[in-house]
């Protein structure tokens, strides 16, 4: 728990520093110069590094950015492939009746599919503000996960139906609102130029999808006819707060 608290504070401070970098770049370099540079608003940090430290600091920042992007992409790809192969293919589709070699083959194919989808998505989002895309990803992740996590930690009556309604409802609403927002169509910098089917006026769906996910979690739990075992609830609370009983890594 102590490490989680440290991680939360460090990550929060890091994202607050991005505001300082943005305003600092605007003050020292100027908005017109940033917009005229290759990459537009995405070049604010490299230009600020060059302004403060010359080519050395620019090279250092570029190397760190490249290594970070590579690590994040690799980590997300491996995590998504392993989750699909183990949780969906092995547990749901095959009902646990699959050998480790078959699971590894599915994971490898999933990596290829995820890579192709990521390339297509990157082409569609070309020219978009990277910080804005990160905010969209955070909104989708928060819509799908935040209500379930908080309800699981602090609401003893929260059950499986509430979790399913919250996760699927939050994820689906966030993706739907993004698809119907000016991010995709109807704006000057939309992904699909020449089309306008934007119904949702906001660019970020979080202000709607996250409260909706909380509501669906409460509604699903309230309407559920199943009664959760108090002993299981107490066990879940201890495991979620301490990590006791977490599964170990499996051999592949």
């Amino acid at each position: 728990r102590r490490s989680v608290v440290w991680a939360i504070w460090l990550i929060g401070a890091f994202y607050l520093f991005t505001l300082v970098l943005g305003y600092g770049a605007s003050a020292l370099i100027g908005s017109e110069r940033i917009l005229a540079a290759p990459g537009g608003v995405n070049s604010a940090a490299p230009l600020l590094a060059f302004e403060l430290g010359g080519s050395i600091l620019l090279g250092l920042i570029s190397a760190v950015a490249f290594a970070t992007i590579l690590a994040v992409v690799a980590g997300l790809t491996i995590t998504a492939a392993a989750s699909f192969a183990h949780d969906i293919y092995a547990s749901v589709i095959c009902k646990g009746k699959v050998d480790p070699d078959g699971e590894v083959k599915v994971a490898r194919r999933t990596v290829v599919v995820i890579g192709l989808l990521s390339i297509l998505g990157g082409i569609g989002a070309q020219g978009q503000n990277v910080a804005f895309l990160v905010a969209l990803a955070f909104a989708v992740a928060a819509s799908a996960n935040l209500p379930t996590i908080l309800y699981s930690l602090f609401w003893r009556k929260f059950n499986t139906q509430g979790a399913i309604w919250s996760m699927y409802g939050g994820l689906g609403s966030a993706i739907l609102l993004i698809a119907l927002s000016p991010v995709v169509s109807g704006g000057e910098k939309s992904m699909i130029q020449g089309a306008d089917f934007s119904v949702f006026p906001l660019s970020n769906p979080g202000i709607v999808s996250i409260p909706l996910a909380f509501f669906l979690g409460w509604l699903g739990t309230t309407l559920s006819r199943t009664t959760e075992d108090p002993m299981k609830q107490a066990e879940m609370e201890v495991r979620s707060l301490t990590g006791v009983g977490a599964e170990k890594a499996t051999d592949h």
Side-chain angles (χ1 to χ4, degrees), residues 124 128 132 136 175-203:
Q128 294 286 336
F132 171 71
L136 279 184
I175 295 177
L176 179 62
L177 291 177
I178 291 175
L180 299 178
S181 71
V183 176
V184 178
S185 68
E188 296 180 357
K189 297 182 179 180
S190 299
M191 297 181 183
I192 303 177
Q193 295 293 329
D196 187 4
F197 49 86
S198 60
V199 179
F200 185 65
L202 303 179
S203 297

Side-chain angles (χ1 to χ4, degrees), residues 14-209:
F14 170 78
Y15 282 105
L16 288 177
F17 286 153
T18 58
L19 298 176
V20 178
L21 292 176
Y23 285 118
S26 179
L28 295 177
I29 301 171
S31 302
E32 296 181 357
R33 182 180 169 189
I34 294 175
L35 294 175
V41 293
N42 296 322
S43 63
L47 289 176
L48 180 61
F50 183 75
E51 185 75 17
L52 296 177
S55 300
I56 296 178
L57 185 57
L58 175 61
L60 179 62
I61 294 298
S62 301
V64 171
F66 179 78
T68 303
I69 294 172
L70 186 62
V72 170
V73 171
L76 290 177
T77 303
I78 294 174
T79 301
S83 298
F84 178 83
H86 179 72
D87 298 334
I88 297 179
Y89 177 76
S91 301
V92 178
I93 298 177
C94 296
K95 306 296 182 181
K97 300 177 181 179
V98 59
D99 60 320
D101 293 336
E103 192 173 329
V104 171
K105 291 180 181 179
V106 172
R108 291 174 178 173
R109 295 170 184 172
T110 306
V111 169
V112 176
V113 174
I114 292 175
L116 294 176
L117 293 177
S118 300
I119 292 173
L120 294 177
I123 294 174
Q126 188 175 8
Q128 294 286 336
N129 189 338
V130 174
F132 171 71
L133 295 177
V134 171
L136 279 184
F138 280 179
V140 174
S143 301
N145 298 318
L146 180 61
T148 301
I149 293 174
L150 293 181
Y151 279 147
S152 299
L153 291 176
F154 302 109
W155 190 18
R156 285 183 173 271
K157 294 183 179 180
F158 189 60
N159 55 24
T160 303
Q161 179 171 304
I164 293 175
W165 284 30
S166 175
M167 288 188 291
Y168 283 105
L171 177 63
S173 62
I175 295 177
L176 179 62
L177 291 177
I178 291 175
L180 299 178
S181 71
V183 176
V184 178
S185 68
E188 296 180 357
K189 297 182 179 180
S190 299
M191 297 181 183
I192 303 177
Q193 295 293 329
D196 187 4
F197 49 86
S198 60
V199 179
F200 185 65
L202 303 179
S203 297
N204 194 305
I207 195 172
V208 175
S209 59

